Amino acid sequence: MSDITSKPRTKVRVKTERPKLHKVILVNDDYTPREFVVTVLKAEFRMNEDQAYRVMITAHKRGVCVVAVYTKDVAETKATRATDAGRAKGYPLMFTTEPEE
Ligand code: TYC
Protein backbone atom coordinates (compact mmCIF):
# COMPACT_ATOMS: atom_id res chain seq x y z
CA MET A 1 0.00 0.00 0.00
CA SER A 2 1.43 3.38 -0.96
CA ASP A 3 1.62 6.22 1.55
CA ILE A 4 -1.15 8.17 -0.17
CA THR A 5 -3.75 5.42 0.29
CA SER A 6 -2.76 4.23 3.78
CA LYS A 7 -5.01 5.02 6.75
CA PRO A 8 -4.01 7.89 9.00
CA ARG A 9 -2.24 6.53 12.07
CA THR A 10 -3.15 9.29 14.50
CA LYS A 11 -5.60 8.16 17.18
CA VAL A 12 -7.94 10.86 18.42
CA ARG A 13 -8.37 10.83 22.20
CA VAL A 14 -12.04 11.22 23.05
CA LYS A 15 -12.21 13.78 25.84
CA THR A 16 -15.38 13.81 27.93
CA GLU A 17 -14.75 16.09 30.89
CA ARG A 18 -17.73 16.85 33.06
CA PRO A 19 -18.68 20.52 33.33
CA LYS A 20 -17.56 22.06 36.62
CA LEU A 21 -20.38 22.31 39.17
CA HIS A 22 -21.22 25.55 40.96
CA LYS A 23 -22.45 25.92 44.53
CA VAL A 24 -25.42 28.12 45.39
CA ILE A 25 -24.72 29.74 48.77
CA LEU A 26 -27.28 31.29 51.12
CA VAL A 27 -25.96 34.32 53.02
CA ASN A 28 -27.35 35.36 56.42
CA ASP A 29 -28.71 38.83 57.13
CA ASP A 30 -30.42 40.46 60.13
CA TYR A 31 -33.73 41.40 58.46
CA THR A 32 -35.25 38.63 56.32
CA PRO A 33 -37.78 36.62 58.36
CA ARG A 34 -36.76 32.98 58.92
CA GLU A 35 -40.08 31.70 57.57
CA PHE A 36 -39.63 33.67 54.33
CA VAL A 37 -36.15 32.16 53.80
CA VAL A 38 -37.68 28.69 54.26
CA THR A 39 -40.45 29.51 51.75
CA VAL A 40 -37.92 30.64 49.11
CA LEU A 41 -35.73 27.56 49.64
CA LYS A 42 -38.76 25.28 49.20
CA ALA A 43 -39.99 27.08 46.08
CA GLU A 44 -36.72 27.58 44.22
CA PHE A 45 -34.68 24.57 45.33
CA ARG A 46 -37.44 21.94 45.67
CA MET A 47 -36.71 21.28 49.32
CA ASN A 48 -39.18 19.99 51.90
CA GLU A 49 -39.86 21.94 55.11
CA ASP A 50 -37.25 20.01 57.07
CA GLN A 51 -34.42 20.42 54.55
CA ALA A 52 -35.24 24.11 54.05
CA TYR A 53 -35.33 24.79 57.80
CA ARG A 54 -31.93 23.14 58.31
CA VAL A 55 -30.29 25.15 55.53
CA MET A 56 -31.85 28.40 56.82
CA ILE A 57 -30.78 27.79 60.44
CA THR A 58 -27.25 26.82 59.36
CA ALA A 59 -26.86 30.10 57.44
CA HIS A 60 -28.41 31.95 60.41
CA LYS A 61 -25.86 30.48 62.86
CA ARG A 62 -22.73 30.23 60.69
CA GLY A 63 -23.22 33.12 58.25
CA VAL A 64 -23.49 31.03 55.08
CA CYS A 65 -24.75 27.63 53.96
CA VAL A 66 -24.33 25.70 50.69
CA VAL A 67 -27.82 25.12 49.33
CA ALA A 68 -27.08 22.85 46.34
CA VAL A 69 -24.75 22.37 43.36
CA TYR A 70 -25.67 22.72 39.68
CA THR A 71 -24.08 23.48 36.33
CA LYS A 72 -22.99 27.16 36.12
CA ASP A 73 -26.07 28.41 34.23
CA VAL A 74 -28.59 26.69 36.49
CA ALA A 75 -26.79 27.81 39.67
CA GLU A 76 -26.70 31.44 38.52
CA THR A 77 -30.34 31.45 37.40
CA LYS A 78 -31.58 29.95 40.67
CA ALA A 79 -29.44 32.28 42.82
CA THR A 80 -30.77 35.30 40.90
CA ARG A 81 -34.41 34.19 41.11
CA ALA A 82 -34.14 33.46 44.85
CA THR A 83 -32.41 36.80 45.54
CA ASP A 84 -35.06 38.61 43.47
CA ALA A 85 -37.86 36.93 45.48
CA GLY A 86 -36.45 38.59 48.61
CA ARG A 87 -35.94 41.94 46.91
CA ALA A 88 -39.56 41.93 45.71
CA LYS A 89 -40.59 41.89 49.39
CA GLY A 90 -38.01 44.50 50.38
CA TYR A 91 -35.66 42.01 52.07
CA PRO A 92 -31.86 41.95 51.65
CA LEU A 93 -31.90 38.13 51.23
CA MET A 94 -28.84 37.08 49.22
CA PHE A 95 -27.85 33.95 47.30
CA THR A 96 -24.42 33.80 45.63
CA THR A 97 -22.64 31.19 43.48
CA GLU A 98 -19.10 29.88 43.44
CA PRO A 99 -17.37 27.14 41.38
CA GLU A 100 -16.51 23.88 43.12
CA GLU A 101 -12.81 23.03 43.36
N1 TYC B 1 -31.11 36.00 60.42
C1 TYC B 1 -32.49 36.13 59.99
C2 TYC B 1 -33.36 36.45 61.20
O1 TYC B 1 -32.96 36.26 62.33
C3 TYC B 1 -32.99 34.85 59.32
C4 TYC B 1 -32.16 34.48 58.15
C5 TYC B 1 -31.58 33.21 58.07
C6 TYC B 1 -31.95 35.40 57.11
C7 TYC B 1 -30.77 32.87 56.98
C8 TYC B 1 -31.15 35.04 56.02
O2 TYC B 1 -29.81 33.44 54.90
C9 TYC B 1 -30.58 33.79 55.96
N2 TYC B 1 -34.58 36.89 60.95
Side-chain angles (χ1 to χ4, degrees):
M1 207 187 276
S2 73
D3 271 342
I4 198 86
T5 57
S6 63
K7 277 172 139 183
R9 298 284 172 202
T10 308
K11 278 237 168 133
V12 176
R13 186 168 60 92
V14 179
K15 194 176 150 194
T16 52
E17 277 178 12
R18 293 175 204 283
K20 196 185 267 182
L21 293 176
H22 289 240
K23 298 180 272 193
V24 174
I25 298 161
L26 170 64
V27 183
N28 187 39
D29 67 71
D30 291 339
Y31 304 101
T32 310
R34 292 181 182 201
E35 191 47 49
F36 183 77
V37 179
V38 169
T39 300
V40 171
L41 288 169
K42 284 160 71 180
E44 191 60 45
F45 300 96
R46 299 164 147 269
M47 290 182 173
N48 63 35
E49 181 76 24
D50 233 61
Q51 297 168 319
Y53 184 83
R54 281 180 210 190
V55 167
M56 181 280 295
I57 209 69
T58 300
H60 176 75
K61 288 180 179 165
R62 301 169 69 102
V64 290
C65 183
V66 175
V67 179
V69 293
Y70 303 100
T71 55
K72 186 171 194 284
D73 269 21
V74 174
E76 285 172 354
T77 301
K78 284 183 177 284
T80 300
R81 284 172 50 100
T83 299
D84 287 351
R87 184 174 305 151
K89 296 266 186 188
Y91 299 133
L93 182 63
M94 174 80 114
F95 290 81
T96 62
T97 66
E98 133 184 345
E100 276 198 328
E101 305 77 42

